[in-house]
Amino acid sequence: MDGAIHRAAGPKLLAECRALGGCATGDAKLTLGYRLPCRYVIHTVGPIWHDGGHSEDAALASCYRRSLQLCEANGLTTVAFPAISTGVYGFPAQRAAGIAVRTVIETLPHTPGIHTVTFCCFSEPSASMHRHELADLAPLA
């Protein structure tokens, strides 16, 4: 995902990212979107899956929470999330979907300026997992 975003945004995105001084796992930082159709990009570093015993769940939840907090702090009203850490980082997709949906639902009351959250799933199985989690957690929303 990261490579595709950087290719589409162009070289100015990489230059701005280098000036940010890195980003810790579970944190998030904001840059301009440059040639992307969005104004901003939120960069977050998801955890690499080991075995579930290295605080991976908490780090993944922090990615979503910190991203939403950045949106709120910068007056952004919409955000789209990919399935963070489920690609090359190997986080189990079903587990990640549950963490993503639950964290967003729990965080939205504390970020009232955000009106739209989209889970941007790149496969039907991923979309199905997110829909299932949303259906299960809808009473919390």
Side-chain angles (χ1 to χ4, degrees):
M1 171 71 20
D2 185 58
I5 288 170
H6 278 270
R7 280 189 299 279
K12 290 182 180 179
L13 179 62
L14 180 59
E16 186 175 356
C17 284
R18 286 186 174 146
L20 293 176
C23 186
T25 300
D27 200 4
K29 296 191 177 182
L30 184 77
T31 66
L32 295 174
Y34 298 99
R35 296 188 320 211
L36 294 169
C38 56
R39 289 184 296 158
Y40 300 98
V41 175
I42 297 173
H43 306 266
T44 189
V45 180
I48 296 170
W49 179 259
H50 295 286
D51 59 9
H54 294 86
S55 302
E56 294 100 319
D57 289 3
L60 184 60
S62 182
C63 290
Y64 290 97
R65 189 177 313 105
R66 287 288 302 128
S67 295
L68 291 169
Q69 291 166 345
L70 270 178
C71 288
E72 182 72 15
N74 288 278
L76 309 180
T77 60
T78 63
V79 62
F81 288 112
I84 298 168
S85 281
T86 61
V88 296
Y89 283 11
F91 207 105
Q94 185 68 52
R95 185 175 184 137
I99 292 167
V101 171
R102 186 171 42 260
T103 302
V104 167
I105 288 173
E106 291 171 353
T107 306
L108 282 176
H110 307 287
T111 53
I114 300 171
H115 302 287
T116 305
V117 176
T118 302
F119 291 104
C120 187
C121 302
F122 293 98
S123 71
E124 181 49 40
S126 179
S128 179
M129 288 178 222
H130 283 77
R131 280 192 299 269
H132 180 266
E133 293 296 334
L134 282 165
D136 283 353
L137 294 174
L140 297 177

